[in-house]
Amino acid sequence: MLKLIFKIFLFLWLSAVIIGAFLYAPLAKGLGEYTRVLYFHVPMAWITVVAFLMSAIFSIFYLWQKNLIFDHYAVVSNQFGILFSLLATITGSIWAKVSWGAFWNWDPRETSIFILLLIYLAYFALRSAIELPDRRAALSAVYSLLAFVTVPFLIFIIPRVYSSLHPDPLINTEAKIQMDGRMLLVFMGALAGFSAFYLWMFTINKNIVQLRSQFEEKEF
Amino acid sequence: MEPLYLVLVINLIVWIGIFSYQFYLGQEIKKLKEQSKLTDNRGQ
Amino acid sequence: MHKIWFVFRKDLLQEFNTRYAFNSILLFALITLTAVSFAIGTYSASDEVKAALLWIILFFSAMSGLSHIFVKEEETHTADTLKLLAQPYQVFAGKLLFNFFLLIVLELIIIPLFFVLMNFEVDSLPLFLLILLLGSFGLAGGGTMVAAIISKASAKGALFTVLSFPILLPVLIIGIDATKMVIQPENSASVYLSLQTLFAFGMVINTVSFLLFDFVWKE
């Protein structure tokens, strides 16, 4: 019952965020109508990072406890990572087209999301090349962790060494979008709402994976 | 209709679609879980 | 320390007999260098293009040979013997040393040729060599670890480049940029930031590889 209330609440919450993003929030100074994509682009990028972090944590758990279920969880979060990094790339690229003039110009931030996508794809390429489940789990967990330590270099260091046009509170403080109270409200609401939605998606897939491994056990 | 409202409506429709699919999936999983519990009990 | 040296010397002796990895790396580098030099000509390329070409040649030649170090152990089924003889970290250190050595030898041959063929000039040679050294350190660390991973998988050759590329791309990007700065004298001050980043990357990737190598080696 509580779960049902939570789901309905989430539905209303994100509907309010979508309507708020279009009608309630004012536009940022000096930027056009396209700033509205902010409320969708940033949560997607945020979830990409969360998914990547979760897959690294599950990889550590796998290497620690050697329980295959953690490997399945890591795969699920990596799949979501691919999905959301694609969404972040597409929304970001559209935004870049209208504000910088080109869909793709190898801005450091674009480079780093592209590399993140490559890492996710390489992870699945590695998995498809190994037959034994235990070995596949261990090796892909190691690769996932190895990739995890190189990502901070891409996300934090390279954009600092090379100038970026991407507005960001951490890296490019000058180009930060000045948000007034109403914008900030919708923005935080979107961040929270999409995170909760991601957690729900993750739980469903986690249950699917659990059920699948239960059925597999029964067959043998 | 103004383009802004058009985009808003499309957005909302997409969101409702995603949500209902997700909701449906959640219910199905719940059913399957209960079923697997039942078969487990029968087996013991 | 003794065992690390032992693993390194064993690989060196084997390599001396077969020259498999060395030949493939060197010939790959030579062929790409010739192709590039032939296609672009000596005078037409700008400094930026030359810096990028140098690193691309080094990077992909490294990709063509660094995986051999672990793949050969699996192919000749000598990995189990090595497991008995040395601790995992000693094996890894020995192999890392060998790959690093391989890259240095490659650079000793390729860099003078690049200078000659591409009419390449740098402002400060010591800084340039330091960039190459730190870059090779990172490349060798990441390459050795990925080699250990793919030696346990099927479809080894193609997979090595696919897996190494995203992990080692920071070396490539920072290396190219630092080399550009070394070519043009007015930028030499900001090259130290790139050097620091390269060094930090090498340290991080090598430390993590040492920590994780146990799990791969025991599989």
Side-chain angles (χ1 to χ4, degrees):
Chain A
M1 194 60 207
L2 203 66
K3 278 182 185 166
L4 193 68
I5 293 171
F6 167 74
K7 282 168 193 170
I8 293 167
F9 180 70
L10 187 66
F11 176 72
L12 294 175
W13 179 276
L14 271 179
S15 306
V17 163
I18 291 170
I19 295 168
F22 281 95
L23 302 177
Y24 174 69
L27 295 173
K29 261 181 212 157
L31 297 170
E33 285 284 345
Y34 53 80
T35 39
R36 299 192 194 283
V37 79
L38 168 80
Y39 309 110
F40 305 99
H41 170 68
V42 179
M44 297 305 139
W46 159 247
I47 291 170
T48 307
V49 175
V50 170
F52 200 54
L53 188 72
M54 278 169 77
S55 108
I57 292 170
F58 286 129
S59 301
I60 292 175
F61 271 125
Y62 175 75
L63 290 178
W64 183 25
Q65 304 202 327
K66 300 280 173 193
N67 186 347
L68 270 179
I69 199 77
F70 289 119
D71 178 54
H72 295 315
Y73 294 167
V75 171
V76 167
S77 22
N78 269 337
Q79 280 166 346
F80 279 124
I82 286 191
L83 176 69
F84 281 97
S85 61
L86 270 177
L87 287 174
T89 314
I90 292 166
T91 50
S93 175
I94 293 168
W95 200 355
K97 175 69 183 171
V98 290
S99 83
W100 303 340
F103 282 115
W104 200 262
N105 63 349
W106 294 111
D107 189 82
R109 201 27 70 98
E110 289 175 341
T111 314
S112 49
I113 193 97
F114 179 68
I115 302 303
L116 211 57
L117 203 56
L118 274 187
I119 290 175
Y120 283 130
L121 294 175
Y123 177 88
F124 285 103
L126 174 64
R127 290 188 73 85
S128 62
I130 310 171
E131 298 287 328
L132 295 169
D134 287 338
R135 174 175 282 193
R136 181 170 61 208
L139 294 182
S140 51
V142 168
Y143 182 71
S144 176
L145 288 174
L146 199 65
F148 183 72
V149 296
T150 62
V151 164
F153 278 90
L154 293 160
I155 292 185
F156 292 110
I157 295 173
I158 288 178
R160 278 185 195 192
V161 180
Y162 311 107
S163 57
S164 169
L165 292 169
H166 193 281
D168 199 305
L170 280 172
I171 290 149
N172 198 356
T173 37
E174 284 165 24
K176 191 176 170 183
I177 295 174
Q178 296 297 325
M179 286 200 255
D180 74 349
R182 284 184 294 169
M183 277 179 83
L184 205 63
L185 183 71
V186 177
F187 179 70
M188 287 301 165
L191 219 52
F194 278 111
S195 302
F197 187 65
Y198 169 69
L199 281 182
W200 181 27
M201 280 168 91
F202 183 77
T203 326
I204 284 179
N205 278 274
K206 201 174 128 182
N207 287 334
I208 292 177
V209 162
Q210 275 171 352
L211 280 172
R212 194 178 290 152
S213 65
Q214 270 177 27
F215 287 138
E216 272 166 13
E217 269 171 27
K218 265 178 213 163
E219 273 174 28
F220 291 114
Chain B
M1 203 159 30
E2 261 189 75
L4 185 71
Y5 290 97
L6 190 69
V7 175
L8 172 60
V9 168
I10 292 171
N11 243 321
L12 278 174
I13 290 169
V14 169
W15 160 235
I16 289 168
I18 293 173
F19 181 86
S20 11
Y21 177 67
Q22 194 75 0
F23 194 79
Y24 162 77
L25 213 61
Q27 295 311 103
E28 287 292 302
I29 289 295
K30 213 166 147 188
K31 265 186 231 161
L32 269 176
K33 250 188 163 175
E34 275 160 15
Q35 268 180 16
S36 81
K37 259 182 210 162
L38 279 177
T39 47
D40 268 5
N41 290 340
R42 238 176 258 159
Q44 277 163 7
Chain C
M1 207 53 217
H2 177 72
K3 285 277 178 63
I4 297 173
W5 187 244
F6 160 78
V7 172
F8 174 66
R9 218 180 48 194
K10 178 218 115 200
D11 280 330
L12 204 63
L13 275 175
Q14 262 184 330
E15 184 57 41
F16 210 72
N17 285 331
T18 59
R19 284 183 293 277
Y20 181 96
F22 184 68
N23 277 346
S24 66
I25 270 196
L26 184 71
L27 287 177
F28 191 94
L30 271 179
I31 287 164
T32 28
L33 179 59
T34 323
V36 160
S37 167
F38 197 71
I40 296 183
T42 314
Y43 298 107
S44 62
S46 70
D47 290 344
E48 278 85 13
V49 174
K50 281 179 194 165
L53 283 176
L54 173 65
W55 277 94
I56 287 169
I57 291 171
L58 285 180
F59 186 81
F60 283 100
S61 353
M63 290 301 100
S64 74
L66 288 189
S67 68
H68 184 62
I69 188 99
F70 278 108
V71 171
K72 77 173 181 211
E73 301 284 359
E74 293 294 324
E75 276 173 357
T76 54
H77 305 286
T78 44
D80 292 328
T81 326
L82 206 56
K83 271 175 206 165
L84 292 175
L85 282 174
Q87 294 289 317
Y89 77 91
Q90 293 164 336
V91 174
F92 185 74
K95 304 266 180 197
L96 174 64
L97 211 62
F98 178 79
N99 268 350
F100 189 59
F101 178 74
L102 198 63
L103 280 179
I104 296 294
V105 173
L106 168 78
E107 279 160 14
L108 282 179
I109 296 169
I110 281 301
I111 300 297
L113 272 176
F114 193 81
F115 271 85
V116 172
L117 283 177
M118 299 298 290
N119 193 29
F120 187 65
E121 278 169 4
V122 291
D123 184 47
S124 141
L125 195 62
L127 268 181
F128 177 63
L129 293 180
L130 193 60
I131 292 168
L132 282 176
L133 197 71
L134 289 175
S136 318
F137 181 54
L139 283 184
T144 312
M145 188 63 191
V146 175
I149 292 175
I150 61 122
S151 69
K152 314 274 182 183
S154 53
K156 298 174 171 75
L159 211 54
F160 185 60
T161 318
V162 170
L163 293 189
S164 317
F165 185 68
I167 287 183
L168 293 178
L169 203 71
V171 175
L172 196 64
I173 295 176
I174 304 165
I176 289 171
D177 202 69
T179 310
K180 272 183 212 164
M181 290 180 201
V182 167
I183 295 172
Q184 291 156 345
E186 67 267 25
N187 284 333
S188 277
S190 56
V191 80
Y192 290 104
L193 183 63
S194 295
L195 280 176
Q196 279 171 9
T197 318
L198 269 183
F199 179 70
F201 183 83
M203 288 311 282
V204 166
I205 196 103
N206 278 295
T207 314
V208 173
S209 303
F210 262 99
L211 290 174
L212 291 175
F213 182 67
D214 257 24
F215 297 109
V216 178
W217 189 235
K218 281 178 188 153
E219 261 316 309

